[in-house]
């Protein structure tokens, strides 16, 4: 009898411990204005906690850190794509969305009876320095977790990842889940705050990697099921995304030929750069580099196209810099300036992958910094200027660029 109670008690404890666990794949991201919205999403199913009953969501309690009363929010849930199971989804994606939040404010939230979590909205002005971190090409490796952790330790407002998020190729759901478990564990600011994820698309998000000739936006989206399930709220239209942070920062998230043809975005780029002429800090980000470091300038047609179509437009604008990825090492180049002025390209995506050597003779001539190393870019924006530091795996500074304030 005594033995029965011991076993029963043990099982009860296990159950409680599981019920009280933060969702293993908790992701914060933005689908709208980063100053006033936030989206939290997590997966439920085998190994990730029970799926909510049909028609019932999980309850989220939330409040501003300084407020006394908790409010309630209902979650929504949908099947998470499960290509191997052909329509029989094993996992559900649960989501809670906040609107009308206050800028630059900390909020607490609690999913059912799990530990209370914290997030922060973006400020609408630069009063204190604003820091965000940037990288791309993240595997599921010890070094990937280490690089994400290093980024989160910089106390960033968010982390922008420019494609190749898990190498699941739009198919391997187990790998995709492992990636988000890795992210969720590592993406904690020093105060425990959950760091929001700003996603860009790369070839490894898409079955086949690149846009198929003649395919529609809807057909292409189906080839990147995990990316659109998680981030389709931001990427709703067949065009790039501009994420505007108050009046001080804009990220132009381009698609280097994975879902959208490159040439279909050039006009959008022109118009959206022009619209943001008075924004002091504007960054464009995409996956396949205009100035490769491992491949050559003519290695693939996307490299040629982004360099020929987008670089002159950017050189003729007030853009601060460009983030590129895909080649797995640190290389910063200054563009040739044929379209107006020379602009810095920070590349080429190594946030926890096997770093590759620099072997592109054309880019080497324009190269200002190189390291065959994983790196994360730490961008600090101030009222009087900006600094981009590239940190290696141990936090060592591999590169540093100062920017004077470039618009009024
Ligand atoms: Fe790639």
């Amino acid at each position: 009898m005594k033995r029965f109670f011991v076993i029963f008690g043990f099982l009860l404890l296990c159950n409680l411990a599981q019920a009280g666990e933060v969702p293993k794949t908790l992701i914060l991201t933005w689908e709208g204005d980063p100053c006033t919205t936030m989206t939290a999403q997590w997966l439920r199913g085998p190994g990730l906690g029970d799926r909510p009953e049909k028609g019932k969501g999980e309850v989220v309690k939330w409040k501003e850190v300084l407020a006394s009363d908790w409010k309630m929010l209902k979650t929504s849930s949908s099947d998470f794509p499960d290509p191997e199971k052909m329509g029989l989804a094993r996992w559900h994606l649960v989501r809670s969305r906040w609107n009308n939040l206050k800028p630059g404010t900390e909020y607490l939230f609690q999913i059912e009876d799990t530990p209370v979590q914290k997030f922060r909205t973006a400020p609408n002005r630069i009063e204190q320095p604003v820091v965000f971190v940037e990288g791309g090409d993240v595997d599921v490796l010890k070094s990937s977790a280490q690089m994400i952790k290093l980024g989160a330790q910089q106390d960033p407002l968010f982390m922008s990842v420019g494609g190749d998020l898990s190498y699941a190729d739009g198919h391997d759901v187990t790998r995709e889940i492992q990636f988000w478990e890795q992210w969720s564990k590592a993406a904690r600011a020093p105060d425990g705050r959950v760091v929001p994820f700003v996603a860009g698309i790369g070839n490894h998000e898409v079955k086949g990697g690149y846009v198929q000739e003649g395919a529609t936006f809807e057909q292409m989206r189906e080839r990147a099921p995990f990316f659109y399930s998680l981030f389709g709220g931001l990427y709703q239209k067949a065009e790039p995304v501009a994420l505007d942070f108050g009046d001080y920062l804009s990220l132009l998230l381009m698609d280097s030929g994975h879902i959208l043809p490159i040439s279909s975005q050039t006009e959008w780029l022109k118009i959206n750069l022009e619209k943001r002429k008075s924004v002091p800090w504007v960054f464009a980000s995409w996956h396949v580099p205009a100035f490769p470091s491992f491949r050559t300038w003519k290695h693939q047609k996307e490299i040629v196209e982004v360099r020929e179509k987008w670089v002159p437009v950017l050189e003729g604008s007030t853009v601060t810099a460009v983030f590129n990825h895909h080649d797995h090492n640190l290389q910063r180049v200054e563009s040739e300036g044929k379209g107006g002025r020379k602009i810095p390209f920070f590349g080429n995506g190594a946030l926890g992958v096997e770093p590759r050597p620099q072997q592109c003779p054309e880019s080497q001539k324009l190269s200002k910094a190189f390291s065959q190393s994983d790196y994360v870019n730490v961008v600090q924006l101030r009222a009087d200027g900006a600094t981009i530091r590239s940190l290696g795996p141990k936090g060592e500074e591999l590169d540093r660029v100062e920017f004077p304030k470039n618009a009024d």
Side-chain angles (χ1 to χ4, degrees), residues 137 162-164 167 202-205 210 258 287-289 295 300 325-328 356:
D137 305 79
D164 287 4
Y167 295 88
N203 51 305
H204 285 287
E205 273 62 66
Y210 298 92
H258 313 291
H287 186 68
V288 176
R295 297 164 174 92
Q300 62 183 96
H325 312 89
H326 189 57
D327 263 9
H328 300 186
R356 297 170 178 153

Side-chain angles (χ1 to χ4, degrees), residues 148-315:
I148 296 168
K149 217 168 172 180
L150 177 67
Q153 280 165 355
Q154 312 308 311
D155 202 18
L157 182 60
F158 62 91
M159 185 180 283
S160 172
V161 181
D164 287 4
L165 312 180
S166 65
Y167 295 88
D169 294 312
H171 182 78
D172 188 344
V173 70
T174 312
R175 194 183 178 88
E176 183 75 16
I177 290 173
Q178 280 170 355
F179 176 80
W180 293 112
E181 285 187 62
Q182 167 182 269
W183 165 260
S184 184
K185 216 164 151 190
R188 298 278 174 171
D191 67 354
R193 211 174 70 243
V194 185
V195 176
F197 188 95
V198 172
I201 196 159
N203 51 305
H204 285 287
E205 273 62 66
V206 188
K207 281 175 204 154
Y210 298 92
V211 65
Q212 310 284 302
E213 216 170 314
T216 62
F217 179 49
E218 285 68 29
Q219 285 164 341
M220 282 313 300
R221 271 198 308 202
E222 279 173 27
R223 299 178 74 92
F226 309 132
F227 186 85
Y228 281 93
S229 177
L230 293 164
F231 305 111
L234 181 65
Y235 291 91
Q236 291 186 17
K237 297 188 203 157
E239 59 180 37
V241 162
L243 206 54
D244 296 311
F245 296 72
D247 58 0
Y248 58 92
L249 165 66
S250 293
L251 298 182
L252 304 182
L253 306 171
M254 312 289 294
D255 174 335
S256 45
H258 313 291
I259 299 293
L260 307 173
I262 290 164
S263 56
S264 75
Q265 301 164 67
T266 310
E267 199 53 31
W268 182 97
L269 182 62
K270 260 184 218 165
I271 294 167
N272 280 276
L273 284 166
E274 181 66 24
K275 268 191 201 163
R276 290 168 180 78
K277 258 180 12 194
S278 62
V279 178
W281 311 113
V282 179
F283 297 91
S285 177
W286 68 79
H287 186 68
V288 176
F291 302 99
S293 37
F294 178 69
R295 297 164 174 92
T296 60
W297 274 26
K298 288 191 179 148
H299 178 87
Q300 62 183 96
K301 68 177 192 314
E302 290 77 15
I303 293 176
V304 178
E305 238 184 313
V306 294
R307 196 175 51 251
E308 288 180 355
K309 302 235 160 81
W310 294 351
V311 173
V313 174
L314 289 153
E315 287 178 333

